[in-house]
Amino acid sequence: MPDSSPDDRSSLGEAIVHRQLDPENDILVAKCDIGPMFAAYLDHIRRWDREPNGLGQVLMRQGLSAAVLHLSCLPRDESVGWTIHLRKPPINLFLTGDSSDNSVTGRIFTENVKTGESSRMYVQTSRAGGAPVQSAVDVEGLDIVLIFEQYYRRSDQMSTRLFEITDEKLV
């Protein structure tokens, strides 16, 4: 997840993030390419578990992309865990990452998932030496990119837009 120049190439398992700050307008634009990271995720999951179905792959790809972008814009000593419970179809998506060691991972469950009263996103953030901060918001839809936007608006009260440029690139 480190900043890189456009000429840098990622290796298997890495994501490339480009950030541009416009201090005059108080805007941060970040773009990530998780192609090699998602390929490594799929390789790992094929070896140790069943590969997620098409929807599961889309949800995990979107979740990992959003997590990478989120963590790339945090202080270097912050870790975050996300649990996204989708009511219909019943799915639990778990994501976690740490900005200090540039790591992100996730797991998806599509079988034997208890259905809650609503779809909900749970977030726990912690910084070195501080107590964890927890948040939960009801969310709508199946698009993880839009679910992250709902979280930013409802919990962080931060104006954030996320755009999928391609399957592996998110801004």
Side-chain angles (χ1 to χ4, degrees), residues 22-41:
D22 178 359
E24 186 175 306
N25 294 302
D26 199 24
I27 296 173
L28 173 63
V29 177
K31 178 174 79 169
C32 73
D33 179 352
I34 70 154
M37 183 176 96
F38 193 65
Y41 164 78

Side-chain angles (χ1 to χ4, degrees), residues 66-111:
V68 165
L69 279 182
H70 181 91
L71 289 163
S72 74
C73 298
L74 293 179
R76 287 288 189 195
D77 65 344
E78 199 157 308
S79 62
V80 183
W82 297 268
T83 299
I84 302 170
H85 168 72
L86 301 175
R87 189 172 190 284
K88 287 187 181 181
I91 294 173
N92 282 334
L93 176 66
F94 300 98
L95 304 160
T96 188
D98 190 314
S99 64
S100 64
D101 64 6
N102 296 321
S103 64
V104 176
T105 191
R107 181 124 190 228
I108 189 164
F109 293 91
T110 57
E111 296 176 4

Side-chain angles (χ1 to χ4, degrees), residues 37-50 105-107:
M37 183 176 96
F38 193 65
Y41 164 78
L42 288 176
D43 182 55
H44 176 80
I45 201 76
R46 285 177 185 132
R47 290 176 194 221
W48 302 107
D49 205 356
R50 282 195 326 223
T105 191
R107 181 124 190 228

Side-chain angles (χ1 to χ4, degrees), residues 11-171:
S11 62
L12 186 62
E14 293 183 345
I16 294 178
V17 176
H18 299 278
R19 295 179 303 180
Q20 185 173 7
L21 180 61
D22 178 359
E24 186 175 306
N25 294 302
D26 199 24
I27 296 173
L28 173 63
V29 177
K31 178 174 79 169
C32 73
D33 179 352
I34 70 154
M37 183 176 96
F38 193 65
Y41 164 78
L42 288 176
D43 182 55
H44 176 80
I45 201 76
R46 285 177 185 132
R47 290 176 194 221
W48 302 107
D49 205 356
R50 282 195 326 223
E51 185 173 337
N53 63 20
L55 176 61
Q57 285 190 29
V58 170
L59 297 176
M60 182 56 73
R61 181 182 39 77
Q62 288 180 332
L64 290 171
S65 296
V68 165
L69 279 182
H70 181 91
L71 289 163
S72 74
C73 298
L74 293 179
R76 287 288 189 195
D77 65 344
E78 199 157 308
S79 62
V80 183
W82 297 268
T83 299
I84 302 170
H85 168 72
L86 301 175
R87 189 172 190 284
K88 287 187 181 181
I91 294 173
N92 282 334
L93 176 66
F94 300 98
L95 304 160
T96 188
D98 190 314
S99 64
S100 64
D101 64 6
N102 296 321
S103 64
V104 176
T105 191
R107 181 124 190 228
I108 189 164
F109 293 91
T110 57
E111 296 176 4
N112 303 317
V113 174
K114 290 184 181 181
T115 303
E117 293 180 20
S118 64
S119 292
R120 185 168 283 171
M121 180 180 204
Y122 302 89
V123 181
Q124 181 171 327
T125 304
S126 58
R127 292 186 75 177
V133 177
Q134 298 178 13
S135 179
V137 294
D138 286 343
V139 294
E140 298 171 1
L142 294 176
D143 189 319
I144 299 300
V145 171
L146 295 178
I147 287 173
F148 266 79
E149 284 185 6
Q150 292 172 49
Y151 168 76
Y152 289 128
R153 187 174 47 257
R154 295 175 185 164
S155 181
D156 284 1
Q157 299 171 356
M158 180 173 36
S159 179
T160 302
R161 293 295 317 264
L162 299 170
F163 302 95
E164 282 187 284
I165 308 257
T166 68
D167 282 351
E168 298 172 345
K169 292 182 181 177
L170 188 70
V171 173

